[in-house]
Amino acid sequence: MITALILCGLLISSSSSAQKIRIKTGIEVLKQSNFKILQGKRVGLITNPTGVDNNLKSTIDILHEAPGVQLVALYGPEHGVRGDVHAGDKIDSFTDPDTGVPVHSLYGATRKPTPEMLEGIDMLVYDIQDIGCRSYTYISTMYLAMQAAAENGIEFVVLDRPNPLGGLKVEGNLVEEGFFSFVSQLGIPYVYGLTCGELAEMIIGEQMIPQPCKLTVVKMKKWHRKMHFEDTGLPWVPTSPHIPFAHSAYFYPVSGILGELGYMSIGVGYTLPFEMFAAEWINAEEFAGALNAKRLSGITFRPVHLKPYYSVGQGNNLQGVQIYLTDFQKARLSDIQFHVMEVTAQLYPDKKVFDHAPKNRFDMFDKVSGSDFIRLEFSKNHRFADIQSYWTKDEESFRKLSKKYYLYR
């Protein structure tokens, strides 16, 4: 379990950084089986730099070299197969220089594999480390690829990986009709507490796609729901440019919704992506004092002064707060940004978020929230209490539903 040691906003293990790896991911289990389920198959692999074994060898190279396995195509999500593309940037298809295998972009002209992309494929394999938050687009890629697999009579395999947030934390409302998008593709809470393999099982079991694909989940060994990423001993590979460390995944739901407005810095463009809130008009000590006065469980705020290198506030002197998670189990991650929005309105009434943020960003805020209710209701009085019951209304029922699809205890 994560200890109470805190350093610069990180929750860190008391053991050394070179701790023993305690689990086997799906790719390790697949290797151990001598790639049994892939034998004689023409395989398409959906992956990125996070698709590695316990020794950091790429799943691309592993399958390319595997006896009896034909790796005939690669498919890249947002940020690309090699992880060198900025958020939101479109990607073209190309040939992988290391293997000579064609790479099809699933974040360019299409986000769903086309029949032409799948020509000659018997099996689609998915191996991507996710971060357990609905608006992170890799699960949307998995969902659309499962649809395409079903439509084209192709088997779908998920090489399972840990949810860095563990398998118990659930936060946020389900997506409403009219607000499904690539950043809210599935009717699940904002923080959903499942591994990708479990989520894939739910997609089939709850008929979230029009017709089911033939699904196989290669389960991990020795992963448990109470584990956070540090507990696994696995090395962390950045899942995207602004999720450089395992603990970055804990903070993504802390500020990601508010961050869509470009209204204040959330640390993207500085050294603390998703770990802070700052603006030119904030007084750091005053802001931290008001937030700490709320006595939010498992959370402490520290005053910060900074000058971002790029993105919101670039080159300007900003003040604000850094978030420290002192008790991950008790902390309500996604609520933090709403408390920040409320305190902002109280201390700086001429800077109320929905009076001040660019209106052309409201649509993305609503999509990530899964509804426009959050924005419309909050904007009346700028109080978290006005939206809190809506934000939490689906959590308990989703927890109960999820248990049907648990692959791990």
Side-chain angles (χ1 to χ4, degrees), residues 307-380:
K307 184 183 288 187
Y309 307 113
Y310 59 91
S311 193
V312 177
Q314 178 181 1
N316 297 325
N317 291 311
L318 309 186
Q319 295 186 39
V321 293
Q322 182 181 354
I323 303 100
Y324 287 70
L325 301 177
T326 56
D327 189 327
F328 182 84
Q329 307 287 17
K330 292 180 180 178
R332 289 274 312 180
L333 305 178
S334 59
D335 293 4
I336 296 173
Q337 58 212 315
F338 300 126
H339 289 292
V340 166
M341 290 158 61
E342 177 181 298
V343 167
T344 298
Q346 291 169 353
L347 295 180
Y348 315 109
D350 61 332
K351 301 294 185 184
K352 291 178 181 177
V353 57
F354 293 116
D355 296 343
H356 190 69
K359 288 183 170 49
N360 63 358
R361 304 289 286 264
F362 287 0
D363 180 60
M364 184 56 77
F365 181 95
D366 293 347
K367 286 177 179 176
V368 171
S369 300
S371 168
D372 61 0
F373 180 89
I374 300 291
R375 175 176 57 83
L376 295 175
E377 194 64 24
F378 189 92
S379 63
K380 293 176 183 176

Side-chain angles (χ1 to χ4, degrees), residues 84-393:
D84 55 352
V85 182
H86 287 297
D89 286 358
K90 301 300 183 285
I91 309 164
D92 294 325
S93 297
F94 62 98
T95 299
D96 180 56
D98 295 335
T99 61
V101 174
V103 180
H104 301 290
S105 170
L106 298 182
Y107 202 79
T110 182
R111 294 179 180 177
K112 179 180 176 182
T114 64
E116 293 74 23
M117 289 180 178
L118 297 173
E119 194 170 342
I121 299 292
D122 301 315
M123 183 176 281
L124 269 178
V125 177
Y126 181 92
D127 188 20
I128 296 178
Q129 175 63 56
D130 211 84
I131 66 168
C133 189
R134 181 180 69 207
S135 62
Y136 209 60
T137 62
Y138 299 153
I139 57 170
S140 299
T141 294
M142 181 179 76
Y143 168 82
L144 293 175
M146 289 175 69
Q147 272 194 32
E151 292 163 3
N152 290 276
I154 294 170
E155 298 176 60
F156 198 87
V157 174
V158 176
L159 303 182
D160 213 5
R161 292 187 172 273
N163 184 328
L165 307 183
L168 298 174
K169 195 172 280 292
V170 173
E171 296 179 10
N173 57 275
L174 300 182
V175 182
E176 286 183 4
E177 287 299 328
F179 294 92
F180 286 91
S181 70
F182 203 60
V183 292
S184 283
Q185 191 79 69
L186 293 159
I188 57 177
Y190 189 64
V191 174
Y192 53 86
L194 298 170
T195 70
C196 286
E198 291 172 331
L199 183 57
E201 294 279 8
M202 177 179 279
I203 288 169
I204 300 296
E206 297 303 311
Q207 301 178 340
M208 294 181 179
I209 53 177
Q211 62 185 99
C213 61
K214 182 180 179 183
L215 173 67
T216 301
V217 177
V218 180
K219 290 172 56 178
M220 296 177 281
K221 289 186 177 178
K222 298 187 178 180
W223 187 79
H224 304 288
R225 309 205 76 76
K226 290 192 288 187
M227 282 184 164
H228 306 288
F229 198 84
E230 288 84 352
D231 302 320
T232 68
L234 291 170
W236 179 261
V237 176
T239 55
S240 59
H242 293 121
I243 307 290
F245 309 110
H247 80 271
S248 305
Y250 308 155
F251 290 95
Y252 181 86
V254 165
S255 59
I257 297 176
L258 177 56
E260 292 295 344
L261 294 172
Y263 157 76
M264 59 169 64
S265 173
I266 58 169
V268 171
Y270 190 59
T271 57
L272 299 168
F274 301 105
E275 295 184 47
M276 47 161 283
F277 300 91
E280 291 179 79
W281 35 267
I282 288 174
N283 177 292
E285 285 68 24
E286 178 184 49
F287 202 47
L291 285 163
N292 284 323
K294 282 177 163 283
R295 301 187 181 278
L296 303 178
S297 296
I299 301 157
T300 298
F301 299 89
R302 180 181 73 88
V304 292
H305 300 247
L306 66 143
K307 184 183 288 187
Y309 307 113
Y310 59 91
S311 193
V312 177
Q314 178 181 1
N316 297 325
N317 291 311
L318 309 186
Q319 295 186 39
V321 293
Q322 182 181 354
I323 303 100
Y324 287 70
L325 301 177
T326 56
D327 189 327
F328 182 84
Q329 307 287 17
K330 292 180 180 178
R332 289 274 312 180
L333 305 178
S334 59
D335 293 4
I336 296 173
Q337 58 212 315
F338 300 126
H339 289 292
V340 166
M341 290 158 61
E342 177 181 298
V343 167
T344 298
Q346 291 169 353
L347 295 180
Y348 315 109
D350 61 332
K351 301 294 185 184
K352 291 178 181 177
V353 57
F354 293 116
D355 296 343
H356 190 69
K359 288 183 170 49
N360 63 358
R361 304 289 286 264
F362 287 0
D363 180 60
M364 184 56 77
F365 181 95
D366 293 347
K367 286 177 179 176
V368 171
S369 300
S371 168
D372 61 0
F373 180 89
I374 300 291
R375 175 176 57 83
L376 295 175
E377 194 64 24
F378 189 92
S379 63
K380 293 176 183 176
N381 300 301
H382 287 81
R383 293 186 312 196
F384 180 42
D386 294 343
I387 62 165
Q388 189 169 10
S389 61
Y390 178 87
W391 185 243
T392 60
K393 66 182 173 60

